[in-house]
Amino acid sequence: MQVQNEKLAGDLMTAQNQMNRTEAGALRMKSDIARLSDDVLAEQAECQKLRQNISVMDVELRKHHAEVVEARNVQKAVETELHQCKASGLELCHRFEIESQLRLQAQEENLKLMETNSQLRQKLLSRKSKWLR
């Protein structure tokens, strides 16, 4: 019976040692879980910060896109106005050329009329002098 008690005592000691090791392992696991839980919370906080940064960047991107669209509209308006100015400028140049040609023709006609007027005066003076004689 003593042998059996000693054997039972040995089994009990083995079981207690096994239980102590299991408890120590469980405590290590609990500690690891707590550390991992803290890591997860830190990662979640970092993710939240990144989401906020993405939201801010998205707002800025939309604002920039709106500015780009507005700039393109302004550019198109300026190009249209420039095209109209070029067309007006060409039209003005054409009018100026026509006016210049008309002025030259008018000057030539004026010179011809002055010459004819001079000739007529000469004839008139010649007739007048013949008349006065």
Side-chain angles (χ1 to χ4, degrees), residues 8 19 23-24 26 36 69 75 90 92 95 105 116:
L8 285 174
M19 196 168 91
E23 285 179 359
L36 290 172
V69 168
Q75 180 184 5
L90 290 174
L92 287 174
R95 283 184 187 175
Q105 288 175 355
T116 302

Side-chain angles (χ1 to χ4, degrees), residues 72-86:
R72 283 185 185 148
N73 290 339
V74 168
Q75 180 184 5
K76 285 178 185 176
V78 168
E79 287 173 352
T80 300
E81 192 172 331
L82 179 62
H83 180 71
Q84 290 172 349
C85 286
K86 284 181 180 178

Side-chain angles (χ1 to χ4, degrees), residues 19-47:
M19 196 168 91
N20 287 340
R21 283 196 301 275
T22 302
E23 285 179 359
L27 288 174
R28 279 194 303 277
M29 284 184 182
K30 196 174 184 181
S31 173
D32 289 346
I33 289 171
R35 189 174 26 83
L36 290 172
S37 196
D38 290 346
D39 290 348
V40 167
L41 289 174
E43 288 294 325
Q44 286 175 338
E46 185 65 27
C47 286

Side-chain angles (χ1 to χ4, degrees), residues 11-132:
D11 287 347
L12 181 61
M13 283 295 258
T14 302
Q16 283 179 338
N17 286 338
Q18 179 87 26
M19 196 168 91
N20 287 340
R21 283 196 301 275
T22 302
E23 285 179 359
L27 288 174
R28 279 194 303 277
M29 284 184 182
K30 196 174 184 181
S31 173
D32 289 346
I33 289 171
R35 189 174 26 83
L36 290 172
S37 196
D38 290 346
D39 290 348
V40 167
L41 289 174
E43 288 294 325
Q44 286 175 338
E46 185 65 27
C47 286
Q48 183 60 31
K49 284 181 191 176
L50 291 173
R51 281 190 201 103
Q52 288 172 347
N53 288 343
I54 288 170
S55 294
V56 168
M57 287 179 187
D58 187 52
V59 168
E60 289 176 5
L61 180 63
R62 289 174 193 269
K63 194 184 302 182
H64 178 68
H65 178 71
E67 290 171 356
V68 167
V69 168
E70 183 180 343
R72 283 185 185 148
N73 290 339
V74 168
Q75 180 184 5
K76 285 178 185 176
V78 168
E79 287 173 352
T80 300
E81 192 172 331
L82 179 62
H83 180 71
Q84 290 172 349
C85 286
K86 284 181 180 178
S88 296
L90 290 174
E91 185 178 327
L92 287 174
C93 285
H94 185 66
R95 283 184 187 175
F96 180 74
E97 287 176 10
I98 291 171
E99 287 176 5
S100 295
Q101 289 174 355
L102 290 175
R103 277 193 204 114
L104 284 174
Q105 288 175 355
Q107 286 176 351
E108 289 173 0
E109 288 294 320
N110 197 14
L111 285 174
K112 286 179 186 176
L113 288 174
M114 286 173 63
E115 190 176 310
T116 302
N117 192 15
S118 177
Q119 289 172 357
L120 288 174
R121 277 186 189 204
Q122 287 294 333
K123 284 183 184 179
L124 184 61
L125 286 175
S126 167
R127 283 185 187 172
K128 194 175 181 184
S129 73
K130 284 182 185 178
W131 229 40
L132 288 175

